[in-house]
Amino acid sequence: MAKTVITYGTFDMFHIGHLKLLRRLSEMGDKVIVAVSTDEFNELKGKKTLIPYDQRAAIVEAIDCVDLVIPEESWEQKLSDVKRYQVDVFAIGEDWKGKFDFLEELCEVVYLPRTRNISTTELKRSLKRFLSISQDDLRKAFEVLELLRKDLE
Ligand code: C2G
């Protein structure tokens, strides 16, 4: 009997933590469904995303171990999704531990360890550091500009 596993998430700036989670799901069942949070639902979650829903969904859909992507539009849809897709296992990162135990009446609920040292928030911070000009470089740029200005006088 084919086993269906479902998870929910934003999957913004797709990274290794997301990939490892999805691969874990594929080890737990035969069919993997991923509900990707829409931009509107992320606003409800108070979560700012860089990548729009259609691109986040397309990336998740392209992952070889993912069989179906559906939009996550509300907190309430999990119960009807589990029934509609005859889900055997609901799995999500342990940062949500305990939040979805109500699904236990319908399916197995599993909270998985998160991948350490990677998160969308951390990626944004690293990118900001990478793009920011160091004070030293800025000073050197001004010195060169000053020399050029004097040359032109
Ligand atoms: N994740 C992980 N390791 C990380 C980062 C994320 O295992 N380093 C997991 C999260 O635990 C989650 C999934 O990857 O299971 C997607 O993470 P997010 O996109 O941050 O999902 P989130 O915004 O928490 O949305 O209704 C549930 C929510 O929609 C979950």
Side-chain angles (χ1 to χ4, degrees), residues 7-12 15 17-18 21 37 41 45 47 72 75 78 92-96 100 113-115 118-119:
T7 194
Y8 294 73
T10 302
F11 297 98
D12 191 25
H15 55 66
H18 298 140
L21 176 98
S37 314
F41 182 53
K45 284 198 290 192
K47 191 154 187 168
E72 180 186 29
W75 291 112
K78 292 183 177 69
I92 196 163
E94 62 192 0
D95 41 320
W96 292 91
F100 304 115
R114 280 172 65 94
T115 303
I118 183 98
S119 70

Side-chain angles (χ1 to χ4, degrees), residues 66-121:
V66 173
D67 299 289
L68 175 66
V69 169
I70 60 173
E72 180 186 29
E73 298 167 299
S74 73
W75 291 112
E76 297 73 28
Q77 72 179 76
K78 292 183 177 69
L79 277 166
S80 51
D81 288 347
V82 167
K83 289 176 196 155
R84 178 175 173 196
Y85 295 102
Q86 298 175 319
V87 168
D88 301 286
V89 183
F90 165 90
I92 196 163
E94 62 192 0
D95 41 320
W96 292 91
K97 193 158 182 58
K99 297 286 191 312
F100 304 115
D101 292 353
F102 62 88
L103 291 169
E104 275 166 353
E105 59 186 82
L106 294 173
C107 65
E108 192 185 340
V109 175
V110 179
Y111 298 102
L112 297 163
R114 280 172 65 94
T115 303
R116 300 171 56 72
N117 307 320
I118 183 98
S119 70
T120 306
T121 312

Side-chain angles (χ1 to χ4, degrees), residues 13-63:
M13 294 171 74
F14 197 86
H15 55 66
I16 192 68
H18 298 140
L19 182 61
K20 283 186 172 176
L21 176 98
L22 296 178
R23 284 199 171 137
R24 287 288 305 281
L25 300 191
S26 65
E27 290 160 9
M28 297 163 71
D30 314 284
K31 182 176 178 187
V32 174
I33 302 174
V34 183
V36 176
S37 314
T38 60
D39 297 332
E40 296 74 15
F41 182 53
N42 274 316
E43 265 177 54
L44 214 65
K45 284 198 290 192
K47 191 154 187 168
K48 268 178 69 60
T49 53
L50 199 67
I51 310 297
Y53 168 74
D54 56 330
Q55 293 179 33
R56 290 185 285 109
I59 290 168
V60 171
E61 207 156 33
I63 306 296

